[in-house]
Structure formats: C-alpha cells, structure tokens
Amino acid sequence: MFLWGTATASYQIEGAAHEDGKGPSIWDTFTHEPGRIRDGHTGDVACDHYHRWPEDVALIKDAGLNAYRFSIAWPRVLPTGRGPVNQAGLDFYDRLVDALCEQGIVPAPTLFHWDLPQALEEEGGWLNRDTSAYFADYAAVVADRLSDRVKMWITLNEPFIHMVFGYALGIHAPGKALFLDALPAAHHQLLGHGLAVQALRGHGAEQVLITNNCTPVWPASGSAEDLAAADAYDTLHNRLFNDPLFLGTYPDFSAYGMGSLDFVRAGDLETIAQPLDGLGINYYNPTRISGPGGGAGLPFEDAGITGYPTTAFGWPVVPDGLRELLVTLKSRYGTALPPIYITENGCSYDGVDDQERITFLDGHIAALRQAQAEGVDVRGYFVWSLLDNFEWAEGYSQRFGLVHVDFDTQKRTPKASYRWLKEFLAQQG
Ligand code: GBH
C-alpha cells in the first residue's frame, strides 16, 4: 500500500509546553530568549494540538489520507531526558495512536524532531557523546508502549539541519555558532540513530527509517572552482548523512579542509550502518553552489537560484529536483538504498485559496511518478504540513498547512489545496 500522508512535528503544533509533567526542551528555552524568533513568537500554545488532536485526526481522515507522520516530544516522555518516565506524556501519544488506528491511518512517529530535553543540553546536547545512548534508552521506552500498534518508526528528522541551524549557525535551538566545530553534533546524532535502531528492533518495531533532507546540488557554472565547491557542498549536506548509513563510511573531507572526524570511535560506523527498512527524504528545493567568496571560511557559497517561481518563503519551486534527487540517490547507493518515503514536501503560501500550493503538490507528485518510472522504489508521500504551524525562527509568519489556522481562535479552515488533495486521493481509489 502506497502511503499518502501528511506530516507535523511536536514543538510546531502541540503547545501545552508545561502540561502533564512535560519537561522543558531546548526550543522552550530558545524561543523565550529575546531576539531569537521573528516577532518574539513561541510554541507555548502553537496549534493547541495537545488539546485539539481529535479534530486534527478527523481532518486527516476526512482528506482520505492513509498515513500520518508526527513527532514525539522526548521531554514529554522523559522530562529530564533520561531517568524517570512521565506516564502522562506517553498517555498522550497512546491516545493519538489509538485514534489513528481506529480510523485506519498508519501512524509514523519520529522520535526526534529537534526538541531535545533542556536537561541534556546542559550536559552538552548532541556535542556530548552520551546523548546518543540516552536517545536509544528513550526509543526503547516509547517502543515498549506503542510498538503493538506502531509498525513504522522514524528515528531522527533532518540531522543536517539540526547540526547546521542549531550548532553551526545558531539560528535554531540550541543557538550555538560553532561553524565546522559543529560536526560532532552530526556524528552523535547518527550514532544515536544506530543505537536507537537496535533498541527499537529489540522492543517490537517492525520497520525503522531515518529522515534526511537532501538537495540536488547544482554548480553555478562549469568552472573548476564551482564544480569543486558544489562537490564540497554535496559532501557536507547529502553524503555526510547518507554514506555512513548505506556505505558504512564517512566521505573524505580532507580535500575541502572541512575538519577531521577524530571523534569517530572504533565500531561507531558499524552501529550507524544498521540495515534500514526505508529512507525518509524531505525535499524542498535544489541548491546552487559557487566557489567561496571569502565568507565564513567555508569551501563553497550559496549562489541562489533564479528563473523559477518562488514560495512565500522565497524558496524556488523546482518539482523536477525531486526526480533528480531520487535518481541520484539510486545511482549513488544502488542496491544498498532501501525503499524511499518522501516524509516531507510542501510550501509556504498565504491565504485559503492557495492555488499555488495545488500547482506545487501536483508538480511534485508528477516528479515522484517520473522517478518511479525511472526505477526508484518510492513507497510514500507526506505533505508538509497538515496545519499552519510554528515555523521555527520564522514564528507563525510562514504558513505550510493544507489547513489554515487562525492563531487567535484556533479555528481550522481547510484550504483549496486540502480539497484538491482529497479529490485527488478519491480518484486514486
Ligand atoms: C523542514 O526543514 C523541517 O523538517 C520542518 O520542521 C519545517 O517546518 C519545514 O521543513 C519547513 O521549513 O533558501 O531556497 O535554499 C526544511 C529545511 C532548510 C529546507 C532551508 C529549505 C533552504 C531553501 N529547509 N532550505 S533556500
């Protein structure tokens, strides 16, 4: 069964930041620091999904979707990241999973969508190797409770973005600007993934995936400098997170002066390269790269893409980039590549008569079909997102939902794209 779903994340929709024993996460801390988030917005209330989830499950059902990707807030389950389990936090996800199963919707939870327990941040967060083991312990606790009904699990969401925005540039929590010294945060997330795969399988999980956001990398020109820069960027963005999963090695950074990987210990790569049942891919747009302009000392620079329509966020709309990305992954990893699930694809536009979102989704689904025709095994497509929600550093200013949310009244209003998707799914049968 092909999965047609929609996706959300805990901090972006739940609210109830301090209810029923939940501990603080790094996002609770970060959003309350002045100047971090546009207009000073926080996720304290967000879409109030913690209380309104029955209405949201009904929206998923009524659209005719057969899968729902959500994330579990680690600090709801383990308020200090490790140690005592907060049963009330687990109860919330238990009720949600029951409701999804009753409606015939496949639950696909992600264990980490960036809301690390603050207590673990105080011990170094993902720069601390111990966080990897705590993550696996948390995975076991959740799987113990839910794996009788949850068959499909996703360990991490976008470890690349968490490393770059959270630890290298400091525009996301935990707000560290370490540049290339952020690399241990990549390794410890991947190590945590590998340990969590073992823990999940040991506690009843049938299917385990990871979600990486990948981008086709376009050199700005055919010059040797631009080609080398594009290769360096591809190595950092795509290969750093996929090679260890499917080749069991890290790419070689030495040619780019991008720092050593001396925090990698014997046996780590074997742990990371656990066989997976699928690869989740989040696709938004390609990236065009030129040689370094002397900025942050990096061996590349984002040259920007022109000549395509853009979303309200300013991101270029390039549906064929999805086909290009999938075909590239297949040729790079061959038979080592597991089945692919598009775990996020979507766009920011204002308004409820969102014809641009319809064009966007229609184009990307066609590109997915084309990739399948070219031999890529794609088994699911999840629209980001069900609801307009807390868009990280942009607060509530960017709206990605199929359903409009009025953040004063919490009224949900399905957009034109929701009705289009419903009609599309009905025709699929
Ligand atoms: C995802 O990250 C997240 O998983 C999700 O939580 C989030 O809400 C959603 O996407 C929307 O942002 O400047 O043109 O080069 C996506 C990561 C990073 C993808 C920035 C697009 C730059 C576009 N994104 N990237 S561009």
Side-chain angles (χ1 to χ4, degrees):
M1 178 177 74
F2 191 89
L3 298 183
W4 290 103
T6 184
T8 63
S10 47
Y11 190 74
Q12 295 182 271
I13 65 165
E14 285 179 357
H18 309 292
E19 257 174 78
D20 293 341
K22 176 181 167 291
S25 81
I26 57 173
W27 274 94
D28 293 307
T29 307
F30 188 75
T31 54
H32 285 270
E33 290 170 5
R36 293 294 203 182
I37 309 295
R38 181 180 298 273
D39 300 326
H41 289 160
T42 76
D44 289 1
V45 177
C47 305
D48 195 31
H49 171 78
Y50 191 77
H51 301 110
R52 293 168 194 265
W53 60 270
E55 184 181 355
D56 297 335
V57 170
L59 284 163
I60 299 166
K61 174 67 181 170
D62 191 51
L65 295 161
N66 63 13
Y68 176 45
R69 173 176 180 244
F70 57 99
S71 83
I72 294 177
W74 185 346
R76 267 193 209 291
V77 177
L78 295 157
T80 54
R82 58 195 166 106
V85 175
N86 176 37
Q87 290 301 334
L90 274 175
D91 291 346
F92 170 69
Y93 299 106
D94 197 275
R95 290 191 292 269
L96 177 64
V97 164
D98 272 348
L100 293 168
C101 292
E102 269 163 34
Q103 302 294 335
I105 301 163
V106 173
T110 301
L111 289 170
F112 181 68
H113 200 126
W114 308 345
D115 44 356
L116 190 80
Q118 179 63 31
L120 295 186
E121 173 56 25
E122 272 142 37
E123 297 171 30
W126 288 109
L127 298 172
N128 177 1
R129 187 180 166 95
D130 294 341
T131 299
S132 313
Y134 301 146
F135 180 62
D137 293 345
Y138 151 64
V141 167
V142 179
D144 258 344
R145 182 73 178 265
L146 300 180
S147 64
D148 56 333
R149 287 150 290 155
V150 171
K151 305 300 163 198
M152 184 173 180
W153 296 84
I154 301 165
T155 56
L156 306 174
N157 179 68
E158 302 189 351
F160 171 76
I161 293 292
H162 190 53
M163 172 189 76
V164 173
F165 286 13
Y167 289 86
L169 303 177
I171 56 183
H172 280 183
K176 304 219 180 295
L178 300 169
F179 299 97
L180 288 175
D181 291 334
L183 281 173
H187 180 62
H188 297 146
Q189 286 185 87
L190 286 167
L191 182 61
H193 156 80
L195 293 168
V197 173
Q198 294 171 337
L200 288 166
R201 294 206 195 286
H203 292 260
E206 284 180 12
Q207 279 181 286
V208 186
L209 290 72
I210 186 173
T211 282
N212 277 332
N213 69 304
C214 296
T215 183
V217 180
W218 296 350
S221 79
S223 76
E225 198 199 1
D226 287 353
L227 290 171
D231 197 54
Y233 188 79
D234 185 37
T235 302
L236 186 66
H237 187 139
N238 297 313
R239 295 186 53 197
L240 177 62
F241 295 89
N242 287 323
D243 283 12
L245 299 174
F246 308 121
L247 304 178
T249 54
Y250 276 118
D252 183 6
F253 281 104
S254 53
Y256 310 119
M258 283 203 282
S260 71
L261 298 172
D262 53 12
F263 38 80
V264 180
R265 296 192 193 162
D268 286 1
L269 280 157
E270 287 72 15
T271 303
I272 294 169
Q274 303 289 310
L276 293 174
D277 305 289
L279 171 65
I281 288 289
N282 293 354
Y283 170 72
Y284 287 90
N285 52 258
T287 310
R288 190 164 155 268
I289 293 291
S290 63
L298 293 168
F300 49 76
E301 196 170 281
D302 190 334
I305 290 176
T306 53
Y308 290 85
T310 54
T311 70
F313 217 145
W315 300 353
V317 178
V318 189
D320 188 62
L322 177 59
R323 183 204 58 80
E324 180 187 340
L325 172 64
L326 295 174
V327 167
T328 302
L329 285 168
K330 163 103 181 173
S331 69
R332 188 167 281 174
Y333 299 111
T335 55
L337 188 71
I340 288 181
Y341 296 80
I342 305 304
T343 42
E344 285 180 31
N345 177 235
C347 48
S348 162
Y349 289 109
D350 290 332
V352 294
D353 186 22
D354 55 342
Q355 298 301 316
E356 306 99 322
R357 182 171 285 103
I358 294 173
T359 305
F360 183 101
L361 297 175
D362 191 42
H364 286 77
I365 292 169
L368 183 158
R369 295 290 193 213
Q370 186 60 42
Q372 288 177 316
E374 293 180 36
V376 186
D377 183 2
V378 189
R379 301 195 185 178
Y381 177 83
F382 293 72
V383 177
W384 184 270
S385 184
L386 174 65
L387 303 169
D388 292 342
N389 62 47
F390 177 79
E391 178 51 32
W392 308 115
E394 300 301 321
Y396 297 96
S397 69
Q398 299 294 336
R399 294 178 173 271
F400 281 84
L402 294 165
V403 175
H404 179 274
V405 177
D406 177 325
F407 291 103
D408 294 323
T409 63
Q410 292 295 344
K411 184 173 165 28
R412 275 83 162 130
T413 306
K415 301 180 187 179
S417 58
Y418 176 99
R419 292 189 293 275
W420 173 86
L421 185 63
K422 178 174 176 166
E423 180 65 21
F424 169 85
L425 293 170
Q427 279 169 16
Q428 304 285 301

